[in-house]
Structures are given as C-alpha cells and as structure tokens.
Amino acid sequence: MELFPPDKQTPSYDPMSPLADRMRPRNMEEFVGQEHLLGAGKLLRRIIDGDELHSLIFWGPPGTGKTTLAFIIAEATKANFCALSAVVSGVKEVKQVIQEAAEYKKRIGKRTLLFVDEIHRFNKAQQDAFLPHIEKGAIILLGATTENPSFEVISPLLSRTKVLVLNPLTDAHLHKILNKALTDTARGLGSLQAEAASAALQYIVDYCQGDARIALNTLEMAVMMSPPQPDEKGKRILTIAAVEEALQKKVLLYDKSGEEHYNLISALHKSLRGSDPQAALYWLVRMLEAGEDPLYIARRLIRFASEDIGNADPQALLVCVAAKDAFHFIGHPEGELALVQATLYLASAPKSNALYTAYGKARQEIMKSGSLPVPLHIRNAPTKLMKELDYGKGYQYAHNYAEAIVDQECLPEKLAGGTFYFPTDRGFEKVIRERMEYIEKRRKELKAKETKK
C-alpha cells in the first residue's frame, strides 16, 4: 500500500528502475495517447480540468497508461491519494485504507482518491467493501483492469462508477515515446548517446502490440547491448540485430502497410480457398510472428467465412466470430490459438461463393433498375389511410398455410420471377438448394390449383 499526501502525489523514481518506470509521464503535457478521453473538451479532460472527480474504472490493454493516468489525476487535483494493488492487497489493507480515508474526510473535509490496480483480481466480498464508502463520499475510486469489467467487476460497483476504455497505443504514439526516451538525458537514455535506425524502432513498435511498457523496456535492453562505437565518438547505434538479440527473436520480413503485407494475406486467403490447412496455418503464423494485428486477421477470416464458404457451412461464420471474441477477451499471445482454430476450420470446410455471387447480382440489378416500388401487398399498413390505399391488401400470412408456403411474389413487379441466389451442391448448401427447389415446386402446384378455380 502506498500513501501520497497532497503535496507529493507523483512517486519518486529510482534511477536504477526500468526505463518504463523512469519515463512515466508526470503531467498531462507528457502523456501520449488516449486522445478520445484527454483531447480538448473530452470527458476525462473536462473532469480533470474542472476538478470534478467521479469514481472511474480504466479498462484497457497493458501499457496504455491506466496507472499513469491515476497519478496524473491525483497530481492535477491535489487530492489525498492512496494506491493499492489487488495482486498483493487483501481485505485487511482495504479496510485500513477506507478507515484512514474516513478519518481524513472527517478531519480535513476532503475525500481520498483511492487507486486500485488490477481491480478485477478482487473477489466479490472485497469489491463489496468499497460500496458504502463510495456512496458516502469518503473515497473516489479509480480502478484499473485489463479484463472486461462486465464480467470481472460486480454490478453494484459498476453502477457507481464510470468505465472509460483505453485504446492500444498507435505506431505514431509509440515512436514518439521511444524517441523521447532516446533523447531524455535526465530520465531516459540520452546520456548514452544512443541513436536508433528507423527499422529497429519500427520492429520494437510492431513487436510490443501497443504496449508502451514493453516498448520502453525492450529499447533499454537493446541499447544496453549495443556497445559504444569508437569511430562514432562513443555513440551507441541501435540496429535490428541488437533488437533481435534483446528479444531473442528473428525479425521476419514484413511491412504492415506495404507489399509483403498484401502478399501474405493473399497467400492466406488462397490457401484457405484451396482447402489447404497446412499452408493456411503456415501463412497465418508467419503474419502473427511478424507482428500483424491479430484482430486484422480475425476480420479477414470473418469475411472469408461469408465470401468463400457461406451457407455451405453456416457454422464457419460463428467459429470466426467466436475466435475474434476469444482473442479480444484473452489477448496476446494466448488468444492467437483461437485464430489458429478458426483458420484450420475454414481451410477444411466445404466451399461456396454462392452468397458472394448472389450479393453481386442483386447489387448490380439495383444499380441498373433503381428504386423500384414495393408491391402493395407487402407494404406496411399501420394507418387507416394506408389501408384505404390498399397497402397490405391481399397479403398471405405464410404461417396460415400448409408448410408455410404460399404462391406470392415479393419482388418488385418488373423483377418478378428473378433469381439471384444459386446454391451449390456442396455441404449444407445442398440441403438449402433442395429446399428451395421443393418450395418452387409447391408454389407452381399452388399456382396451377388457383388457375383451375
């Protein structure tokens, strides 16, 4: 448990501590990222500037600034500040802090800002302990979690707090943070005269997946492993080789915005379409190991499930969406196995592009024929006037008929009898095709029967 009185909110750092700790932003001007919360006029910025604190929970990936924001808020508001870590604290520590906060409010008349890191690690009873004291105003709770608060934080506590989502840092954010660390002589690596090749910094950025803590500590290790160069007046030149050595990982040829990016995603798509699970797995792992955004891959797999499999195996789309959700819930690197599962499922599933083709045909027809009127009998008729205008007249409610099949045209009059979707004979689409053929046969029988009357 750490206590920081109002005149000393930001904890001092140890010169021997990791670079990520030394470079922790001390104020809003030094903070990088989360513009959706801290930009001019944005919610958290207004709360801080107006000194109108409410209990908040910061939810976001590691290394995005949750803990740092708590210290900055405390410094900006000069509130009585206490920090707990749910990893090492228990009920005893929680009760002690709450008691001290209550006494402070009674004595000074001000609330205590209580920061709880990894709040999702507290059990229900521990989280319950905060409720009456938030209600009475003894504490303002700032929680930080990497897990979805909907699942990990009790509902009564959620109802008394505002959840703010922190996003992974972008490449531009991380480059700014790394360059600041390289040049800062007081807290960073500036005194080591380190210079970094742009490719080396980019690899660190790609590797750390939006986590500034990993990026900074990797930079420090790589710089320390780069000896001063006599011919460069003692400068340390950070190269890709030094980053590889620091990470014990080989840098793969990849450019997330260049040709190799499109080459690899093309290779994955074509391997899936060709029902080659071995090749699909290889290209998937190549992309992941090279630093591709796993959620980008998940989006491409979802698209593939509809475009190249469709109703031949409707389960494919569910598998891919579940894989995306699983990765989002578990994170890197464990969540990547869900993408592997989805990839191998797609590669082994029956293939059909009938949905994709049908969509193209329907879209082409709409571009050609424009906004044709909806047939009167299937128009909505919520008012008396609309009914008088024959809206909905003659509509046959399918459930009132045998097998829920009726001879009723639902396309615009100019397109009557048109066909866009032609299911294949592969996988479940064969069942759909047989069902469509049976429905068409029954409709013709009903039409013929109606004609004889």
Side-chain angles (χ1 to χ4, degrees):
M1 180 174 63
E2 297 176 282
L3 296 170
F4 301 98
D7 61 340
K8 190 179 180 182
Q9 304 292 7
T10 305
S12 59
Y13 63 89
D14 182 349
M16 300 303 294
S17 61
L19 180 63
D21 188 55
R22 304 199 307 271
M23 291 300 299
R24 187 183 297 278
R26 297 163 295 187
N27 50 53
M28 295 292 294
E29 288 66 35
E30 292 182 359
F31 193 89
V32 177
Q34 312 309 331
E35 291 86 356
H36 65 296
L37 297 176
L38 296 169
K42 299 300 182 180
L43 176 62
L44 187 54
R45 190 59 179 259
R46 293 203 310 269
I47 289 175
I48 296 171
D49 291 345
D51 196 6
E52 299 175 350
L53 286 182
H54 306 279
S55 290
L56 305 170
I57 292 179
F58 297 135
W59 172 30
T64 52
K66 299 183 293 294
T67 301
T68 298
L69 273 178
F71 281 109
I72 289 176
I73 290 172
E75 178 69 26
T77 59
K78 299 300 180 184
N80 186 44
F81 183 65
C82 178
L84 287 177
S85 171
V87 177
V88 296
S89 301
V91 175
K92 178 182 177 181
E93 289 81 5
V94 172
K95 288 183 177 179
Q96 180 184 344
V97 168
I98 290 175
Q99 182 181 352
E100 292 176 357
E103 292 175 354
Y104 185 82
K105 184 174 186 292
K106 185 177 181 180
R107 188 174 70 253
I108 307 297
K110 292 185 176 181
R111 293 185 290 178
T112 294
L113 191 61
L114 173 59
F115 174 63
V116 181
D117 198 13
E118 305 282 351
I119 193 171
H120 60 274
R121 292 181 181 268
F122 274 156
N123 60 33
K124 182 179 183 299
Q126 290 169 314
Q127 293 183 34
D128 275 334
F130 296 119
L131 299 177
H133 306 286
I134 294 175
E135 200 75 34
K136 293 177 182 177
I139 62 171
I140 301 170
L141 178 66
L142 292 183
T145 178
T146 57
E147 305 296 330
N148 190 329
S150 300
F151 303 119
E152 305 296 339
V153 177
I154 60 174
S155 296
L157 189 54
L158 281 179
S159 70
R160 291 165 172 81
T161 58
K162 173 70 175 176
V163 176
L164 300 181
V165 179
L166 275 69
N167 298 326
L169 298 178
T170 66
D171 285 10
H173 292 147
L174 291 168
H175 275 289
K176 184 175 181 178
I177 291 169
L178 293 175
N179 283 312
K180 170 64 175 175
L182 282 171
T183 57
D184 191 314
T185 56
R187 297 182 295 154
L189 304 172
S191 60
L192 298 178
Q193 302 183 66
E195 291 185 1
S198 59
L201 287 184
Q202 185 60 49
Y203 182 63
I204 294 176
V205 168
D206 290 340
Y207 173 80
C208 72
Q209 300 286 316
D211 187 326
R213 185 181 297 107
I214 293 177
L216 285 167
N217 291 339
T218 300
L219 175 68
E220 181 176 36
M221 183 177 294
V223 168
M224 298 306 293
M225 294 175 63
S226 303
Q229 302 295 314
D231 56 341
E232 293 287 344
K233 297 182 180 180
K235 289 182 180 178
R236 297 172 185 257
I237 308 299
L238 181 62
T239 63
I240 286 184
V243 177
E244 288 179 336
E245 185 64 24
L247 295 174
Q248 291 295 293
K249 182 175 180 179
K250 183 68 175 176
V251 177
L252 298 174
L253 173 62
Y254 199 63
D255 177 358
K256 286 196 285 187
S257 61
E259 179 182 355
E260 194 65 9
H261 163 81
Y262 295 104
N263 286 340
L264 290 185
I265 195 62
S266 175
L268 175 60
H269 264 247
K270 290 179 172 64
S271 299
L272 291 171
R273 188 177 292 132
S275 299
D276 189 337
Q278 313 305 332
L281 176 61
Y282 171 81
W283 295 118
L284 169 72
V285 177
R286 268 281 297 274
M287 295 179 76
L288 291 173
E289 288 298 303
E292 180 57 81
D293 178 7
L295 289 177
Y296 166 79
I297 298 175
R299 290 193 292 271
R300 301 315 305 163
L301 295 180
I302 291 172
R303 166 71 182 194
F304 182 91
S306 293
E307 179 178 340
D308 287 277
I309 295 176
N311 285 332
D313 185 353
Q315 188 72 15
L317 182 59
L318 301 181
V319 169
C320 290
V321 172
K324 181 267 295 181
D325 289 342
F327 181 86
H328 189 267
F329 183 69
I330 300 173
H332 175 81
E334 292 88 347
E336 291 174 352
L337 199 59
L339 299 180
V340 171
Q341 180 179 349
T343 296
L344 294 177
Y345 188 97
L346 295 180
S348 307
K351 304 298 186 298
S352 169
N353 70 343
L355 286 182
Y356 179 70
T357 303
Y359 170 72
K361 288 179 179 294
R363 188 170 183 272
Q364 185 177 15
E365 179 58 52
I366 290 167
M367 297 299 292
K368 173 185 173 183
S369 55
S371 300
L372 297 175
V374 176
L376 283 174
H377 64 281
I378 58 172
R379 292 187 187 185
N380 186 36
T383 69
K384 180 181 178 181
L385 174 61
M386 290 178 173
K387 290 178 181 178
E388 291 174 351
L389 294 174
D390 289 342
Y391 278 37
K393 183 179 181 180
Y395 171 65
Q396 301 175 67
Y397 183 62
H399 296 289
N400 291 340
Y401 297 84
E403 301 180 282
I405 298 175
V406 294
D407 177 33
Q408 179 173 246
E409 182 61 67
C410 293
L411 280 170
E413 183 178 356
K414 289 185 178 180
L415 302 181
T419 305
F420 305 111
Y421 178 45
F422 296 90
T424 68
D425 60 356
R426 296 186 289 276
F428 187 71
E429 218 165 34
K430 181 178 181 181
V431 177
I432 294 175
R433 187 184 69 176
E434 291 171 351
R435 176 66 181 164
M436 288 175 62
E437 289 173 349
Y438 175 75
I439 291 171
E440 185 61 27
K441 177 184 175 183
R442 289 289 293 122
R443 281 177 174 162
K444 288 180 179 178
E445 292 172 353
L446 291 171
K447 185 184 287 291
K449 186 177 179 180
E450 187 66 26
T451 302
K452 289 180 181 180
K453 287 184 179 181

